[in-house]
Amino acid sequence: MECKAAGESVFAKEVLFEGNCEQAVDTELTLPDYCPDIGRLLKCRLVPMITSRQVNFDSLTVEGVARISVIYLDDRDKKLRCCDRDYPFKASVPYDGNTENCKLLAEAHVDYVNCRAVSQRKLDIHGAFTVHMTAVCRREIELVTDVEGDGLRLRRESRGISDLVCCAQTGFDLSEAIELSEGKPPISSIIRSDAVICVEEIQTIPGKLTVRGNAIFTMIYCTEQNDVPERMEYVIPFSQFFDIPGIDEDCKTDISLSCDMLEVSPRTDSDGEYRRVDVDLRISADIKVYRDREASWVSDAYSVDYELNCVRKQVRLERLCDTAFDTVVYRQSVDTGDSKVENVSDLWATVSDSRSNYRDGKTVVTGNMAVCMIIRDPSKGIVYSEKNVRFECAIPQTACGQNIRPDCSVGIKSCCFTVTGDSKLEIQAELCIHSSLYEDIPARQICSAELDESRPKPPENRPAAVLYFAEAGEELWDIAREYNSSVESIRMDNGIEGDAVEESKLLIVTA
């Protein structure tokens, strides 16, 4: 006879697909007419930027552009120059999963890039980058909270969880017209531009989510007046509203912002000098909204009247413990090798292979940082040097539970330096870190049960009472199930308050 089960629904994030798609970059780049001839190559940068994410019935598709930036010394004046070119790409992987309410998260990481000058105006470029795709959705999980049947004894578990209210992938545009500060020379050509997004504050109101933060914009440009490039940093504040159905002040959020696209266009002022730049950014937002609640389920069952056939199922619940947006200053001494430092034309850093774990009340983030330097050597002139350094930093965070899982992202907010020797620099990098702590809660539950009426538990095989010597820590449920009793009667007959025997003792177990 099938037992009647009752339940309740909770919602969690389900990962439908997770995988990588490698994109090769094999192309030729011819300098446009306004760029002078190449004297010596210094650095080739590859920056993949995502413009769209699509979930189709048979595939997951990410489109974007791979921006190639070639930094070189010109053949005539030996000045720093840069030539940019965007190449469109389309990355697809087969997919046959659920498309309803499915969101595609994607990020791109550069594997390598090499550049060779075929002539003074033509370059041969080979490289690759990897697009990491994750398809997620909001999934309903049915928890069995009660089962009815003859002589059933139920074991229930109860935990605090985070119920997923919404899982969204969206974006917004940010534009700013920036003027050079007083005393800065006008722009001749832009060598490098980067932007990192830092979240400052998150607020929830009924139906809406407000995110305030800053886009930290950095630009290195050449001038006609001198050989040393100029550096400009500018903070672009933003406040963005998102419509989120079901959200209110009691909800908890986990939001990650990243810059998908950066466009920088020099503009002339009233005197005809290039003293302005228009900065356009496309920012993507990965939003997860949770509401804390208590969840319970039937984890085990038996009948004192009949043998019980159960179907069990493992489900995964989670709880959002804490989120943090923090800036950590990291200092490191860097050796430039056999190049002596007269001055530094440009220095920047990129982070790769970052990992995180939670211990002793802190989220510890480790990874590799590539320090990229364009320096002037007294005898060699301008040269490029790159050094990899290992970093480690810790963020205080609060979490309790057994299976704590950190989810971190790291960006470089700024990077400055001090020359400390002929071939040594002391770098100071501000790491912009977003860290979320989750507790993974595995729940093994009874999803259906059936009484086998052909296999009754004969009353004559049940003694009225037995004496059982229990070891310390032994659970009352296991004893009750073994002797066809109940946890409540064992507690009452032996004066036990908890769910386990605290110390070894002799117990009276009644049927």
Side-chain angles (χ1 to χ4, degrees):
M1 180 179 67
E2 186 173 356
C3 300
K4 183 178 179 182
E8 62 180 8
S9 295
V10 298
F11 291 88
K13 182 186 73 174
E14 180 181 14
V15 177
L16 303 173
F17 173 87
E18 186 170 13
N20 295 323
C21 184
E22 188 174 286
Q23 296 290 293
V25 178
D26 295 300
T27 187
E28 289 185 346
L29 188 153
T30 301
L31 298 184
D33 293 339
Y34 57 81
C35 287
D37 288 351
I38 297 171
R40 179 155 53 91
L41 288 173
L42 295 178
K43 172 65 175 176
C44 181
R45 298 182 70 204
L46 173 62
V47 181
M49 296 178 288
I50 296 172
T51 57
S52 70
R53 305 163 173 84
Q54 300 175 5
V55 179
N56 306 311
F57 70 93
D58 60 349
S59 65
L60 303 174
T61 302
V62 171
E63 296 186 37
V65 294
R67 176 165 297 169
I68 297 174
S69 300
V70 179
I71 302 174
Y72 67 97
L73 295 179
D74 67 44
D75 187 42
R76 185 185 61 188
D77 301 323
K78 309 303 180 185
K79 282 189 175 183
L80 275 176
R81 306 289 180 180
C82 183
C83 177
D84 293 335
R85 185 71 56 83
D86 288 349
Y87 294 90
F89 73 85
K90 183 176 182 180
S92 293
V93 295
Y95 176 71
D96 59 358
N98 179 31
T99 59
E100 185 178 0
N101 298 321
C102 178
K103 311 297 179 184
L104 177 58
L105 313 178
E107 55 185 6
H109 302 283
V110 176
D111 298 323
Y112 71 94
V113 60
N114 297 318
C115 181
R116 181 177 66 90
V118 179
S119 69
Q120 288 187 306
R121 302 202 61 80
K122 183 177 288 188
L123 300 165
D124 191 15
I125 297 169
H126 300 282
F129 61 93
T130 299
V131 179
H132 182 73
M133 302 185 198
T134 307
V136 300
C137 72
R138 179 173 178 256
R139 179 171 64 95
E140 183 178 8
I141 299 174
E142 186 73 17
L143 293 180
V144 175
T145 57
D146 193 22
V147 182
E148 296 180 1
D150 293 342
L152 280 186
R153 302 288 187 264
L154 305 178
R155 185 178 193 177
R156 293 183 174 89
E157 291 189 29
S158 182
R159 291 291 304 273
I161 69 165
S162 294
D163 206 8
L164 184 62
V165 176
C166 176
C167 180
Q169 169 73 43
T170 184
F172 61 96
D173 296 321
L174 190 63
S175 298
E176 186 84 357
I178 303 174
E179 292 189 7
L180 300 184
S181 57
E182 192 70 27
K184 285 280 191 181
I187 300 168
S188 172
S189 62
I190 296 175
I191 301 300
R192 180 178 64 85
S193 59
D194 289 301
V196 62
I197 311 302
C198 297
V199 176
E200 300 291 335
E201 183 183 13
I202 298 174
Q203 289 183 336
T204 58
I205 58 176
K208 290 187 180 296
L209 173 68
T210 305
V211 181
R212 294 184 178 89
N214 297 308
I216 314 299
F217 171 70
T218 304
M219 182 179 74
I220 307 298
Y221 68 94
C222 283
T223 71
E224 297 295 342
Q225 284 83 349
N226 54 64
D227 294 336
V228 180
E230 294 285 338
R231 181 184 183 90
M232 184 183 78
E233 290 186 357
Y234 193 86
V235 178
I236 306 174
F238 64 85
S239 180
Q240 185 67 28
F241 290 87
F242 299 98
D243 293 323
I244 306 292
I247 195 173
D248 56 36
E249 295 92 339
D250 296 329
C251 289
K252 297 161 69 174
T253 60
D254 182 11
I255 179 169
S256 177
L257 301 183
S258 61
C259 181
D260 278 354
M261 179 69 73
L262 171 63
E263 298 286 351
V264 182
S265 304
R267 295 287 185 259
T268 56
D269 60 8
S270 57
D271 296 328
E273 294 184 320
Y274 285 97
R275 300 189 56 82
R276 297 177 57 234
V277 287
D278 290 343
V279 180
D280 298 295
L281 301 99
R282 178 66 179 173
I283 300 174
S284 66
D286 172 20
I287 303 171
K288 295 183 285 292
V289 179
Y290 296 92
R291 180 177 285 106
D292 284 346
R293 60 171 290 186
E294 195 76 12
S296 62
W297 59 92
V298 177
S299 60
D300 201 1
Y302 64 92
S303 170
V304 297
D305 296 330
Y306 301 96
E307 294 295 334
L308 186 67
N309 299 320
C310 297
V311 176
R312 293 172 171 83
K313 182 180 181 181
Q314 183 87 14
V315 297
R316 178 181 170 273
L317 308 174
E318 64 181 5
R319 182 172 64 92
L320 176 58
C321 303
D322 189 29
T323 57
F325 296 91
D326 205 350
T327 299
V328 177
V329 177
Y330 178 77
R331 294 177 176 86
Q332 176 73 40
S333 179
V334 177
D335 193 335
T336 60
D338 58 357
S339 298
K340 294 186 176 181
V341 181
E342 181 180 336
N343 60 54
V344 179
S345 299
D346 190 15
L347 184 147
W348 71 94
T350 58
V351 170
S352 62
D353 300 329
S354 63
R355 298 183 180 183
S356 57
N357 62 81
Y358 181 74
R359 61 175 184 262
D360 301 328
K362 294 180 179 179
T363 299
V364 180
V365 185
T366 58
N368 293 315
M369 181 189 303
V371 181
C372 307
M373 300 163 283
I374 299 177
I375 60 179
R376 181 181 290 276
D377 182 283
S379 58
K380 301 177 184 177
I382 296 178
V383 296
Y384 174 79
S385 179
E386 183 173 320
K387 299 294 179 181
N388 288 317
V389 298
R390 188 76 176 167
F391 72 88
E392 179 176 314
C393 56
I395 302 173
Q397 285 191 274
T398 302
C400 57
Q402 294 184 342
N403 304 308
I404 302 300
R405 169 175 50 89
D407 185 6
C408 289
S409 61
V410 185
I412 303 292
K413 186 176 181 180
S414 66
C415 193
C416 58
F417 62 89
T418 303
V419 179
T420 57
D422 286 345
S423 58
K424 287 188 178 297
L425 299 175
E426 181 78 17
I427 66 164
Q428 178 175 297
E430 281 190 286
L431 306 181
C432 187
I433 299 177
H434 166 218
S435 175
S436 300
L437 294 181
Y438 288 87
E439 180 190 8
D440 289 327
I441 304 172
R444 184 169 175 80
Q445 67 166 347
I446 301 291
C447 56
S448 65
E450 184 177 359
L451 292 169
D452 190 349
E453 295 179 325
S454 65
R455 299 169 62 197
K457 293 183 176 179
E460 57 270 17
N461 290 346
R462 301 183 193 173
V466 297
L467 294 178
Y468 177 77
F469 187 81
E471 298 289 345
E474 196 167 350
E475 294 192 2
L476 301 186
W477 172 265
D478 295 332
I479 301 171
R481 180 171 186 157
E482 176 69 22
Y483 291 98
N484 219 36
S485 181
S486 69
V487 172
E488 292 76 12
S489 65
I490 296 176
R491 285 193 186 126
M492 184 179 301
D493 293 339
N494 297 275
I496 299 174
E497 294 184 356
D499 294 325
V501 180
E502 293 185 359
E503 58 183 20
S504 299
K505 61 185 297 186
L506 193 65
L507 300 180
I508 299 174
V509 182
T510 57

